[in-house]
């Protein structure tokens, strides 16, 4: 075994993988990172880490890194290396040319939740002052936009109501559509600690995940519902709360709109949501639904954590509203040990939601149609802004296929691999005249690019991340960016090339601008975060060092509002041709599209996406462990190896989405959430057949 290199220096920074946002000491020698050590003072992780943050850091120096800007006139041409100035001039010139020919709205931009708050903010500023439109989107819409919509509608704030440590004061933990022991492992460890101390764990998930059944983590109730029936089952849980009068009337009368509550009670109290009716349709024992509802309502401190298994559905926003309704009805909001908490899948997805990179909203979830909000930014930026909402990324792709959308600037995202209906995405990109991609490596999307700008990793920049508990923490530069510029500097270069004069000497100045324009961040600064370690928004004059627990006295919207949550079945149905339901998720050692972790030694643990299938479904198809199968849907097909697994029920198959060659998104539909366009990744009808050649 080689002798470890002795570090010469260490720097505190924040992990960029999942939404836990662990603090790390990045230790270097000779200008190279030699070790990542979890930081004991990290308020999100208290010195703990997972195998991604601890070991998967070598990607920053992988030979695949793009090390210089490149351009080409056609995607069939070879790349030509150019200077930064030439790349900026060419990219901006192409965008201006397209706008002059096809109109101002014919181009747009996409920011990345792998980037810092400051960089996400600058990308939405690029769209609004550089492109002069609101065609800006962020990957947070693909995963958690229903969180913003659903929690804003019920509680008034589209973010977690608690800090992570609050779970240690919970008596009942309800996990819906999430697998924190693998997807958010440091938080998952804290959840296990709470369970060991006596908290009861309730899980709603189609799979028997590690959260349901693993060492130190045994669910008292597991509702293994049929994919696509979330809202039906959550309404049935509410039915039990209402019909058995398990709700907290005093809380509802004091904190919520009573008329809304009565309307909601009449809806979920209807006999069609009785567990006896819902159970057979959702594949559940009605008594298990009743058991879960009673345990949650009894508390006395019950908390909810949920993930993409709630949001990535055609009724994703409705599902989030169900959770907000349930928490309010039972009085489980506004103190330690309770609350409604989304588990974010990327290090800065919360920042991606907060910082204005959506076509209809500025920072702080304020609408572009509101003249007073626009005035804040017009005064700051000294420019008149468009008051009409722009296009979301799916709308951009649709318009590109139709021929009216011609150019896009994509920061740190790979939609060809990660967005639904891969064939549609590819067709859209082929139809564009200028695709600008800013990334660490050549990806599936850069195959369709005309300009390739070398991005910087989180280890090569300064800035801040906002984690899943609203905690803003420092990201510090450990090594120099391989191509010389941090991502925020690249976007500033693009803004200037578009003709809007802009200068920052440091990303701290960008956070200062965010504070001037964004109420929840109004007290934030690099100096404050350096002094106290990290800060949870809202941070303002009323809470100068941040806020751990939201909704303690009132809701941001005033009275809490109970939203009607009628169940509408997904259009994606099984039939004789496609009799199985495919759902997707993450695994511990890999991260999202795998762009970073696949370029590290973490591949030793998991080097290929695999399909889990039940023993019954495998036997019917003559399949055995390790067989290669063809997975076919109405939208496309792919090939995978299989594992015969007891974690999925008959009729359900499951896979991860970490490897580009697997192309799982080639089989997923373009069905999406009715309110936010969040794609329905969790329900796809498929058939599985053995590959014989």
């Amino acid at each position: 075994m080689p002798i470890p290199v002795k570090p010469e220096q260490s720097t505190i920074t924040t992990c960029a993988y999942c939404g836990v946002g662990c603090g790390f000491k990045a230790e270097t020698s000779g200008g190279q990172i030699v070790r990542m050590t979890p930081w004991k003072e990290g308020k999100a992780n208290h010195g703990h880490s997972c195998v991604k943050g601890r070991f998967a850091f070598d990607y920053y120096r992988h030979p695949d890194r793009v090390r210089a800007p490149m351009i080409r006139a056609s995607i069939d041409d070879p790349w030509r290396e150019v200077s930064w100035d030439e790349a900026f001039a060419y990219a901006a010139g192409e965008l201006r040319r397209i706008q002059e020919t096809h109109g101002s709205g014919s181009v747009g931009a996409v920011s990345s939740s792998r980037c810092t708050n400051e960089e996400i903010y600058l990308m939405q500023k690029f769209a609004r002052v550089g492109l002069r439109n609101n065609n800006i989107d962020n990957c947070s819409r693909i995963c958690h936009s229903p969180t913003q919509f659903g929690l804003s509608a019920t509680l008034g704030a589209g973010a977690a109501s608690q800090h992570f440590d609050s779970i240690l004061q919970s008596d009942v933990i309800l996990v819906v559509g999430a697998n924190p022991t693998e997807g958010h492992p440091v938080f998952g460890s804290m959840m296990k600690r709470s369970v060991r101390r006596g908290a009861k764990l309730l899980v709603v998930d189609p799979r028997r995940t590690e959260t349901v059944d693993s060492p130190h983590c045994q669910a008292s109730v597991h509702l293994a519902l049929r994919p696509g029936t979330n809202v039906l089952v959550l309404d049935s849980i509410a039915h039990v709360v209402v019909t058995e009068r398990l709700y907290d009337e005093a809380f509802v009368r004091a904190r919520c709109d009573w008329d809304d509550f009565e309307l909601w009670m009449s809806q979920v109290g209807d006999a069609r949501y009785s567990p006896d009716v819902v159970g057979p349709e959702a594949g559940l024992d009605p008594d298990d639904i009743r058991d879960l509802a009673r345990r949650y309502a009894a508390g006395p401190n019950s908390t909810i954590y949920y993930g993409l298994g709630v949001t990535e559905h055609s009724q994703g926003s409705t599902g989030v509203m169900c959770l907000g309704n349930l928490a309010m009805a039972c009085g489980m909001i506004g103190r330690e040990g309770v609350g409604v908490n989304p588990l974010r899948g990327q290090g800065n997805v919360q920042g991606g939601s907060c910082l204005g990179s959506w076509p209809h909203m500025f920072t702080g979830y304020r609408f572009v149609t509101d003249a007073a909000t626009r005035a804040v930014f017009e005064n700051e930026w000294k420019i008149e802004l468009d008051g009409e909402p722009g296009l979301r990324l799916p709308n951009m792709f649709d318009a590109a296929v139709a021929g009216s959308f011609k150019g896009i600037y994509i920061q740190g995202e790979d939609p060809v691999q990660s967005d639904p209906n891969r064939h549609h995405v590819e067709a859209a990109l082929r139809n564009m005249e200028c695709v600008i991609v800013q990334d660490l490596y050549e990806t599936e999307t850069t195959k369709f690019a005309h300009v390739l700008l070398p991005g910087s990793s989180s280890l090569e920049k300064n800035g801040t991340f906002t984690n899943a508990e609203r905690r803003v923490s420092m990201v510090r530069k450990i090594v120099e960016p391989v191509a010389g510029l941090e991502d925020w500097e690249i976007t500033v270069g693009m803004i200037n090339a578009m003709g809007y004069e802009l200068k920052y000497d440091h990303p701290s100045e960008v956070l200062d601008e965010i504070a001037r324009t964004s109420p929840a961040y109004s007290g934030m600064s690099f100096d404050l975060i350096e002094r106290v370690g990290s800060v949870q928004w809202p941070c303002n004059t009323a809470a100068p060092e941040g806020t751990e627990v939201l909704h303690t006295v009132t809701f941001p919207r005033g009275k809490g509002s109970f939203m009607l949550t009628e169940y509408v079945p997904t259009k994606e149905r099984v039939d004789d041709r496609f009799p199985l339901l495919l759902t997707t998720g993450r695994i511990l050692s890999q991260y999202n599209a795998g762009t970073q972790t696949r370029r590290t030694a973490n591949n030793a643990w998991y080097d290929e996406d695999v399909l889990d299938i039940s023993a019954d479904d495998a036997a019917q198809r003559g399949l055995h462990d390790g067989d290669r199968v063809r997975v076919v849907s109405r939208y496309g097909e792919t090939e995978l190896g299989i594992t015969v697994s007891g974690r999925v029920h008959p009729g359900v198959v499951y896979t991860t989405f970490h490897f580009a060659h697997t192309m799982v998104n080639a089989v997923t539909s373009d069905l999406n959430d009715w309110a936010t366009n969040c794609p329905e990744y969790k329900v796809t009808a498929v058939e599985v057949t053995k590959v014989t050649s």
Side-chain angles (χ1 to χ4, degrees), residues 124-136:
Q124 61 92 30
K125 187 171 183 177
F126 166 82
R128 288 168 173 135
V129 305
L131 302 181
R132 302 301 304 275
N133 64 39
N134 289 312
N135 293 342
I136 176 69

Side-chain angles (χ1 to χ4, degrees), residues 434-581:
C434 183
V435 174
I436 304 161
V437 177
Q438 180 175 323
D439 215 320
L440 305 182
Y441 317 99
E442 293 193 48
T443 66
E444 297 300 298
T445 300
T446 64
K447 295 175 181 177
F448 302 89
H450 305 88
V451 179
L452 182 50
L453 304 175
S456 56
S457 73
S458 66
L459 303 166
E460 301 164 325
K461 64 177 71 169
N462 292 296
T464 61
F465 283 161
T466 305
N467 78 346
E469 56 176 347
R470 298 172 282 105
R471 185 178 303 282
V472 181
S473 303
M474 294 298 300
V475 175
R476 294 182 176 89
K477 185 191 293 185
I478 314 303
V479 293
E480 291 299 317
V482 297
L485 296 181
E486 299 176 38
D487 282 320
W488 68 271
E489 294 174 301
I490 298 170
T491 302
V492 169
M494 286 291 296
I495 293 172
N496 279 297
M498 290 299 294
Y500 181 93
E501 215 170 297
L502 191 63
K503 184 179 186 299
Y504 302 97
D505 292 322
H506 191 269
S508 62
E509 298 171 10
V510 183
L511 184 59
D512 292 342
E513 184 175 318
I514 292 170
R516 291 194 298 270
T517 57
S518 314
Y521 282 69
S522 62
M524 294 279 186
S525 68
F526 272 41
D527 288 343
L528 173 64
I529 299 169
E530 291 279 10
R531 178 169 62 83
V532 302
S534 62
V535 182
Q536 288 179 265
W537 67 257
C539 174
N540 47 37
T541 53
E545 293 190 359
T547 309
E548 288 190 332
V549 179
L550 298 183
H551 319 311
T552 55
V553 178
T554 187
F555 295 109
R557 66 184 319 283
K559 292 280 191 179
S561 180
F562 285 82
M563 304 299 294
L564 297 181
T565 54
E566 291 284 358
Y567 170 60
V568 179
T570 175
K571 294 178 181 176
E572 184 68 8
R573 305 291 184 87
V574 295
D575 56 23
D576 290 344
R577 186 180 173 198
F578 303 108
L580 303 173
L581 285 175

